[in-house]
Amino acid sequence: MNSLEKLAGMFMKFPGIGPRQARRFVYFLLGENKTFRDELSRALSSLSDSIAQCASCRRFFPRPKTGTFCDICDSPHTDHRTLLIVEKDADFEAIKKTGSYNGRYFILGGNIPILEENPSQKIRARELFDEAQRQATEGTLKEIIIATSANPEGDNTLAYLKKIIEPLATHYSLSLSALGRGLSTGTELEYSDTDTFKHAFENRRG
Amino acid sequence: MNSLEKLAGMFMKFPGIGPRQARRFVYFLLGENKTFRDELSRALSSLSDSIAQCASCRRFFPRPKTGTFCDICDSPHTDHRTLLIVEKDADFEAIKKTGSYNGRYFILGGNIPILEENPSQKIRARELFDEAQRQATEGTLKEIIIATSANPEGDNTLAYLKKIIEPLATHYSLSLSALGRGLSTGTELEYSDTDTFKHAFENRRG
């Protein structure tokens, strides 16, 4: 295997990249000048030095000068009474950008596919339990919100998380909820599916 | 700008990659272990050492121990009488794989969009002319085949190349042609577009 094929093989491991696009990436890089490739190479190898994973929420963030917590978990301006659980870093970013939530986060690192035999290994289930318990013991935590996607994997993950967290919530008198369901902004009723309508109908507001 | 954003910015330059997928790539890499990132980093920086660009056909190929030509341009088993012009390396690979052509190639390195003001800068037009002239002067070249895509950019590129090559073809008595047009294998007549039918009708065979 030559280095062109080796590199293409590595790109094929990237999310959503098939063999054709992987090869296209290699040809693109060959077409770029060496400076670009060297810069990319340096950025990759220095990623661990410049990015850290928060010991509390598990999200990746620019490595701090001191400490193991990210700026959100560490900040006094964060509402430490609420903990919002999301599947992945991109979900965290999307919610942060809305500006409508100011509490703590926990990044699961994935979701649980239907019929998954080892659900606890697909997500940071153990870490979530420990972290929620730690925050509850400290007495700050009052509410846990599960914010998984509105699809079968998200629903499955939600069901699994509820089983884990409900005993904890009961023990520490925490309120436990999931994101509301209904019509997304911009949805035309005509094109909404049965499930969406059902949820919108159930969650109707006066 | 932190290194996470910097890396995402570099991935956004990759063909077909938008801001969301670029960030997904970074998170994917952060989730992989350091060994993978280091290996990818090494593969990138060593690409120039292991891959060379053929001085004749301009395709990228594993760097040879000696010489500047690729195995195809250099081989006595290659039919040096024909030169087939393609837009990109992936096109070369696709044709090579069919096994139905055994001549030389030339990789343009792109195509010419409609209304492009500097067409000669979008493709290796000058290099193609020089290379075709060199091969014709040596007396081996007899036929040039232009194999651009069957879309507006490909047609525009074809028209531009014809203008460049026709004087050369006349001067050296080379035959000049483009790939045939008609129904692709598997096409149902019912779903074929007007242009495809027109070409298929014109190129009908007894």
Side-chain angles (χ1 to χ4, degrees):
Chain A
M1 190 168 63
N2 63 52
S3 62
L4 196 153
E5 279 158 9
K6 192 189 167 186
L7 192 55
M10 298 191 84
F11 281 134
M12 273 174 65
K13 294 190 180 155
F14 279 46
I17 300 305
R20 290 174 81 116
Q21 202 168 6
R23 290 189 82 83
R24 213 180 298 153
F25 283 179
V26 179
Y27 287 128
F28 157 76
L29 287 166
L30 283 164
E32 290 290 308
N33 59 36
K34 191 163 159 41
T35 316
F36 181 85
R37 293 198 297 271
D38 287 344
E39 206 177 327
L40 186 59
S41 167
R42 266 196 308 276
L44 278 167
S45 61
S46 68
L47 206 54
S48 330
D49 306 326
S50 50
I51 303 288
Q53 191 169 19
C54 176
S56 173
C57 70
R58 263 72 177 179
R59 77 183 180 93
F60 294 105
F61 70 109
R63 188 175 287 281
K65 291 213 170 53
T66 56
T68 53
F69 296 116
C70 75
D71 47 334
I72 292 175
C73 291
D74 222 13
S75 168
H77 301 298
T78 298
D79 180 356
H80 290 256
R81 293 168 303 179
T82 53
L83 179 66
L84 187 139
I85 304 166
V86 292
E87 294 172 12
K88 49 192 194 293
D89 284 88
D91 297 336
F92 152 79
E93 279 182 26
I95 292 169
K96 186 86 181 75
K97 215 186 283 177
T98 67
S100 56
Y101 176 73
N102 186 37
R104 302 186 73 152
Y105 292 86
F106 187 89
I107 322 282
L108 287 172
N111 56 30
I112 305 172
I114 312 290
L115 302 177
E116 173 63 39
E117 293 194 1
N118 298 306
S120 64
Q121 288 174 21
K122 297 292 282 185
I123 57 170
R124 301 185 184 110
R126 184 77 234 169
E127 290 97 319
L128 169 62
F129 183 88
D130 292 348
E131 186 59 26
Q133 193 170 37
R134 188 183 69 80
Q135 291 178 30
T137 316
E138 283 178 357
T140 49
L141 191 63
K142 297 288 170 233
E143 183 179 3
I144 297 178
I145 305 146
I146 306 176
T148 50
S149 299
N151 56 27
E153 293 77 27
D155 289 343
N156 195 35
T157 310
L158 171 62
Y160 181 78
L161 290 179
K162 271 190 174 164
K163 264 196 297 183
I164 294 179
I165 295 173
E166 252 159 13
L168 198 73
T170 311
H171 186 262
Y172 290 97
S173 310
L174 309 174
S175 100
L176 176 60
S177 62
L179 283 192
R181 295 289 186 83
L183 298 175
S184 293
T185 306
T187 309
E188 289 187 48
L189 202 55
E190 179 182 355
Y191 301 112
S192 72
D193 60 295
T194 321
D195 263 12
T196 297
F197 178 76
K198 208 184 83 192
H199 286 129
F201 189 77
E202 285 167 0
N203 296 334
R204 65 190 184 280
R205 302 166 71 169
Chain B
M1 189 168 64
N2 64 51
S3 62
L4 196 152
E5 279 159 9
K6 192 188 166 187
L7 193 55
M10 297 191 86
F11 281 134
M12 273 174 64
K13 294 189 181 156
F14 279 46
I17 299 306
R20 290 175 81 117
Q21 203 169 4
R23 290 190 84 82
R24 212 180 298 154
F25 283 179
V26 179
Y27 288 127
F28 158 76
L29 287 166
L30 283 163
E32 288 292 307
N33 59 35
K34 190 162 157 44
T35 316
F36 182 85
R37 293 198 297 272
D38 286 344
E39 205 177 327
L40 186 58
S41 167
R42 267 197 307 276
L44 278 167
S45 62
S46 68
L47 206 54
S48 332
D49 305 327
S50 50
I51 302 289
Q53 190 169 20
C54 176
S56 173
C57 71
R58 264 71 177 180
R59 76 183 180 91
F60 295 105
F61 70 108
R63 189 175 286 282
K65 292 214 167 56
T66 57
T68 53
F69 296 117
C70 75
D71 48 335
I72 292 175
C73 291
D74 222 13
S75 168
H77 301 298
T78 298
D79 181 356
H80 290 257
R81 292 168 303 178
T82 52
L83 179 66
L84 187 140
I85 305 166
V86 292
E87 295 172 9
K88 50 192 194 293
D89 284 88
D91 298 335
F92 152 78
E93 280 183 25
I95 292 170
K96 187 85 182 76
K97 215 186 283 177
T98 66
S100 57
Y101 176 72
N102 186 36
R104 303 186 71 152
Y105 292 86
F106 187 90
I107 322 281
L108 287 172
N111 57 29
I112 305 172
I114 311 291
L115 302 177
E116 173 63 39
E117 292 194 3
N118 298 306
S120 65
Q121 288 174 20
K122 297 292 281 185
I123 57 170
R124 300 185 185 113
R126 184 78 234 171
E127 290 97 320
L128 169 62
F129 183 88
D130 292 348
E131 186 58 26
Q133 192 169 41
R134 189 184 66 82
Q135 291 178 30
T137 316
E138 284 177 358
T140 49
L141 192 62
K142 298 290 172 230
E143 184 180 2
I144 296 179
I145 306 147
I146 306 176
T148 50
S149 299
N151 57 27
E153 294 77 25
D155 288 344
N156 195 34
T157 310
L158 171 62
Y160 181 78
L161 291 180
K162 271 189 175 165
K163 265 196 295 183
I164 294 178
I165 296 173
E166 252 159 13
L168 198 74
T170 310
H171 187 263
Y172 290 97
S173 308
L174 309 173
S175 100
L176 176 61
S177 62
L179 283 192
R181 295 288 186 82
L183 298 175
S184 293
T185 305
T187 309
E188 289 187 48
L189 202 55
E190 180 182 353
Y191 301 112
S192 73
D193 60 296
T194 320
D195 262 12
T196 297
F197 177 75
K198 208 184 82 189
H199 286 129
F201 190 77
E202 285 167 359
N203 296 333
R204 65 191 184 278
R205 302 166 71 168

